[in-house]
Amino acid sequence: VQLQASGGGLVQAGSSLRLSCEASGAPFSRFNMGWFRQAPGKEREFVATISWSAGTTYFADSVKGRFAISRGSAKNPVYLQMNSLKPEDTAVYYCAADSTPYKLLVERSPGAYDYWGQGTLVTVSS
C-alpha cells in the first residue's frame, strides 16, 4: 500500500496550490480520505477530510473557506485545493486513508487513519 502526496512548493501569500495524492495497493475509493499537516516544531494537525462517497467533508477552522477537498480516481483518490494561502499554512502536507471500508463516521483525528503517504512541503512566503 502506497500513498504519495505531491503538488507542494514555494509560493507567495495569497497564492493557490493544488495537492494530489497518488495511491496504490488498496481500494482507496472505499475509504474516507484526509489531509493533515505538520509545521516545524509542531504536532501533526488535521486539515480536511472527505468521506468515501464524497458526501461529507470537514475542515479545520483555520482553513475553512480557503481550502477545498475533493475525490478523484482510484489512482488519485483525493485532492486538496488551497487558495488564499497564508504564511501560517507552511507545513509538510500528508494525505491519509481510514482503511475501514464505507465507514459512516468521518474522523478528524490522525490516529483514526491507517495509511499515510510521504508528505509534500508547502512554503508560503509573506
Side-chain angles (χ1 to χ4, degrees):
V1 174
Q2 284 192 322
L3 290 172
Q4 176 68 59
S6 63
L10 172 62
V11 297
Q12 291 188 331
S15 300
S16 298
L17 282 174
R18 187 189 193 211
L19 303 186
S20 300
C21 179
E22 185 170 346
S24 62
F28 288 95
S29 62
R30 304 176 186 179
F31 304 156
N32 298 337
M33 300 292 298
W35 287 95
F36 297 81
R37 67 187 182 186
Q38 188 166 17
K42 294 189 177 181
E43 293 187 353
R44 190 169 297 188
E45 65 174 4
F46 166 74
V47 175
T49 185
I50 187 167
S51 62
W52 59 270
S53 66
T56 300
T57 58
Y58 293 119
F59 296 91
D61 288 343
S62 59
V63 307
K64 205 171 291 184
R66 299 188 297 120
F67 289 13
I69 188 170
S70 59
R71 300 289 311 209
S73 64
K75 184 178 180 181
N76 293 279
V78 66
Y79 297 94
L80 184 69
Q81 177 67 42
M82 306 187 296
N83 301 323
S84 302
L85 283 162
K86 303 176 180 180
E88 50 263 44
D89 294 319
T90 295
V92 177
Y93 284 71
Y94 300 89
C95 57
D98 179 342
S99 66
T100 301
Y102 308 121
K103 189 173 179 178
L104 296 180
L105 176 63
V106 183
E107 307 269 10
R108 280 165 271 196
S109 169
Y113 289 77
D114 312 283
Y115 299 140
W116 289 84
Q118 297 294 316
T120 186
L121 177 62
V122 173
T123 304
V124 185
S125 63
S126 57

